[in-house]
Amino acid sequence: MLEERDFPVIPGDLMPDGISHELQQHISALVGSRGSHFVGSQPVSFEAAHLTETLLQRDYFVCEKSDGLRCLMFCILDPNGDEAVFLITRENQFYRVPNFHFPLPGDENSCHNGTLIDGELVLSKRPTDGVKELRYLMFDCLAINGRNIVMKLLPNRLGYLDTQFYRPYFKLREQHPQACESFPFKLNLKNMQMSYKLPKVLDSMKYLGHVSDGLIFTCCETPYFFGTDSTLLKWKPSEENTVDFKLRLDIPLYIDEDLDERDPDRVYPNYDVKPTLKLHVWQGDRQGVSEYTELTRLECTDEEWEQLRSLDQPLDERIVECNRDSTGNWHLLRFRDDKSNGNHVTIVKKVLQSIQDAVSKEELIEMAPQIEKSWKERAMRRRHRDSWDGNQSISHEAHDSANDHHRGAHHPHQEHRQNQGHSNNQQPQYFDDDSEDDN
């Protein structure tokens, strides 16, 4: 029934709507997003076709999927010029987290102004004593100190996150450990591996201090995408594929035959009998009102119902995370009070398809050598193309140089044009030059 999973709580103050709206406008102007929705990218469920049609065709990084609280972190100066750090939930709620300092490279007294990071807040056990502590695991970056980097490729974005944000923070903690003890939580970079190293990532999950329920595959060849990103893949074992529903209780009625039929107290809810627990799917909002339709029922034994009753908490109308067993019955895993709505019907359909078309851990591992072979073949083709382009440039330069010598003329912009053309065909690097134009 209910899993014993602690859920991280943001150590900060929820901002009122007015301030949240101003911060959202600032983020929209910074990264070029539209609307007032959560700008974080959302993955799609992994399907069998993704093995051959995606992972064999494109370069991907893979990391473990943490089971925590998805948050964006926004670092900015407040109206008083003070350093301010906010965590933004998927519900687009802004929490100001106090007592943080994130310096810029080379100056520990400076701070970030306009940095937006994507990550997951988790509860992680310390290896020394097993005590649980908050950690923020970073896996992407949208803006760095006022610079929009969403159009850059993933390796470049991770490069900025590492050199411009994480390393200065890590150095600060090394040099001033006592002063940093007041920080509300620690930060780490997610361990990103090339997709064909997925067996290594799967094996390392048993050593994690936090709960992990799958893998995330992020494309190296695409910019950051606001909202649902069809190239961002979420793999879970079949038993970990879950749906967030709205729980509604159909409580049976008791009829007191001793009372007159006209007596309004003759019929009343019978709370001593287990109700029918119905799972409803969010269809979206109409005129500001969330609409739900019933999909199925929650499997609940008498013993499990007594466990729920013993919580002494409201159950009706709550968001619940459920998984489906091999017989098709749905079981309650935990309450999702951090969400105001369940999964949208479109997401539910994709999860159901993913469950039906599930890819096992063994199938993933079996495909790893083919993924590696395809990855290295693409890398070799890029090197051959770059080499051919370089030789062509040299050949043209020699030809033009001979003509120049014959004509006694010189073209000062020729070398720039050739080098510029060559650089456009280079393989993406982890770090790019600050001098290049922003996209």
Side-chain angles (χ1 to χ4, degrees):
M1 192 64 171
L2 282 173
E3 289 189 350
E4 294 296 329
R5 288 190 183 181
D6 293 329
F7 204 67
V9 177
I10 296 177
D13 298 321
L14 179 63
M15 293 293 97
D17 291 344
I19 294 178
S20 295
H21 180 67
E22 289 182 15
L23 291 168
Q24 181 62 56
Q25 286 184 319
H26 195 118
I27 288 174
S28 297
L30 176 62
V31 301
S33 62
R34 294 181 179 180
S36 58
H37 303 292
F38 179 71
V39 299
S41 59
Q42 303 288 351
V44 298
S45 296
F46 198 97
E47 299 175 6
H50 288 131
L51 282 173
T52 54
E53 296 177 8
T54 304
L55 295 186
L56 287 182
Q57 307 302 324
R58 309 181 82 173
D59 290 353
Y60 267 77
F61 282 168
V62 62
C63 66
E64 57 87 14
K65 180 188 174 298
S66 306
D67 188 18
L69 182 63
R70 170 77 180 285
C71 297
L72 295 174
M73 185 164 70
F74 188 37
C75 304
I76 193 175
L77 296 181
D78 69 12
N80 297 321
D82 297 325
E83 185 174 8
V85 176
F86 298 89
L87 287 184
I88 311 164
T89 68
R90 280 183 296 195
E91 303 302 317
N92 224 30
Q93 295 176 318
F94 287 73
Y95 290 81
R96 183 163 183 173
V97 183
N99 303 324
F100 255 136
H101 176 53
F102 296 113
L104 296 166
D107 183 3
E108 66 178 32
N109 295 315
S110 64
C111 63
H112 281 258
N113 184 19
T115 291
L116 187 61
I117 295 168
D118 202 349
E120 190 97 5
L121 188 66
V122 302
L123 280 170
S124 182
K125 288 183 180 179
R126 290 198 303 239
T128 53
D129 54 15
V131 173
K132 291 182 179 180
E133 60 181 6
L134 283 175
R135 283 186 182 270
Y136 185 64
L137 308 179
M138 303 175 290
F139 49 74
D140 214 326
C141 186
L142 292 78
I144 199 80
N145 201 36
R147 183 178 184 182
N148 180 4
I149 61 172
V150 296
M151 293 305 296
K152 297 188 180 295
L153 305 184
L154 176 64
N156 305 121
R157 301 196 304 269
L158 292 177
Y160 277 111
L161 178 59
D162 180 27
T163 60
Q164 303 298 304
F165 188 85
Y166 182 68
R167 292 189 193 182
Y169 155 80
F170 189 80
K171 183 177 180 181
L172 183 74
R173 292 200 72 110
E174 276 191 324
Q175 296 183 346
H176 307 282
Q178 291 184 341
C180 296
E181 282 299 315
S182 63
F183 287 2
F185 49 79
K186 296 178 180 178
L187 288 79
N188 290 99
L189 287 172
K190 271 283 188 83
N191 179 19
M192 294 281 191
Q193 297 283 344
M194 290 172 282
S195 55
Y196 57 82
K197 293 187 178 181
L198 63 90
K200 178 180 179 181
V201 177
L202 286 167
D203 184 64
S204 68
M205 288 165 60
K206 60 177 176 281
Y207 302 110
L208 296 173
H210 59 274
V211 178
S212 179
D213 58 357
L215 300 174
I216 293 289
F217 294 89
T218 309
C219 187
C220 297
E221 305 172 5
T222 54
Y224 191 95
F225 193 87
F226 309 132
T228 302
D229 182 357
S230 61
T231 71
L232 184 62
L233 309 177
K234 172 182 66 177
W235 175 85
K236 288 184 175 184
S238 181
E239 65 275 10
E240 289 282 359
N241 270 302
T242 61
V243 173
D244 296 333
F245 297 102
K246 174 164 282 191
L247 176 64
R248 286 179 173 162
L249 306 186
D250 188 358
I251 301 173
L253 299 176
Y254 178 79
I255 301 176
D256 190 342
E257 300 291 351
D258 295 333
L259 296 179
D260 188 273
E261 292 183 359
R262 293 167 295 182
D263 192 327
D265 295 329
R266 185 171 185 265
V267 180
Y268 54 86
N270 187 356
Y271 294 106
D272 294 327
V273 178
K274 182 178 70 176
T276 301
L277 289 78
K278 298 181 178 180
L279 299 175
H280 289 245
V281 176
W282 182 40
Q283 303 293 323
D285 292 345
R286 177 176 295 181
Q287 297 180 344
V289 178
S290 295
E291 293 190 344
Y292 282 83
T293 58
E294 181 184 348
L295 176 70
T296 186
R297 297 184 178 185
L298 181 70
E299 182 72 14
C300 183
T301 64
D302 292 340
E303 182 181 354
E304 290 170 338
W305 171 243
E306 289 303 320
Q307 179 189 354
L308 288 175
R309 288 186 62 188
S310 67
L311 296 175
D312 197 24
Q313 298 175 3
L315 301 175
D316 197 35
E317 298 291 318
R318 285 178 77 173
I319 304 301
V320 291
E321 183 177 352
C322 306
N323 66 350
R324 194 174 74 173
D325 63 25
S326 58
T327 64
N329 292 321
W330 289 91
H331 300 271
L332 174 62
L333 293 179
R334 56 177 168 165
F335 295 107
R336 294 303 303 264
D337 295 329
D338 60 307
K339 305 183 76 172
S340 58
N341 280 305
N343 292 137
H344 190 267
V345 60
T346 56
I347 301 299
V348 174
K349 289 179 179 178
K350 291 178 181 178
V351 173
L352 293 176
Q353 180 63 39
S354 181
I355 293 174
Q356 180 179 340
D357 193 27
V359 176
S360 68
K361 174 181 176 180
E362 291 72 24
E363 289 174 311
L364 277 177
I365 294 173
E366 186 179 350
M367 283 294 294
Q370 295 183 52
I371 296 172
E372 180 177 12
K373 182 173 181 290
S374 297
W375 179 300
K376 293 183 176 180
E377 286 176 350
R378 286 191 299 274
M380 184 174 295
R381 286 196 297 269
R382 282 193 294 264
R383 286 195 296 269
H384 287 168
R385 184 183 65 235
D386 292 346
S387 175
W388 187 86
D389 289 344
N391 290 335
Q392 287 294 102
S393 297
I394 293 172
S395 176
H396 287 308
E397 184 177 352
H399 177 73
D400 291 343
S401 176
N403 289 339
D404 290 344
H405 177 75
H406 177 73
R407 293 192 302 265
H410 178 64
H411 299 279
H413 299 295
Q414 174 183 308
E415 181 179 355
H416 171 73
R417 288 197 304 268
Q418 291 165 350
N419 290 339
Q420 191 177 47
H422 175 63
S423 65
N424 286 340
N425 289 306
Q426 289 180 345
Q427 182 177 349
Q429 301 297 311
Y430 280 90
F431 310 99
D432 52 6
D433 188 352
D434 281 334
S435 64
E436 74 177 79
D437 294 334
D438 284 323
N439 292 321

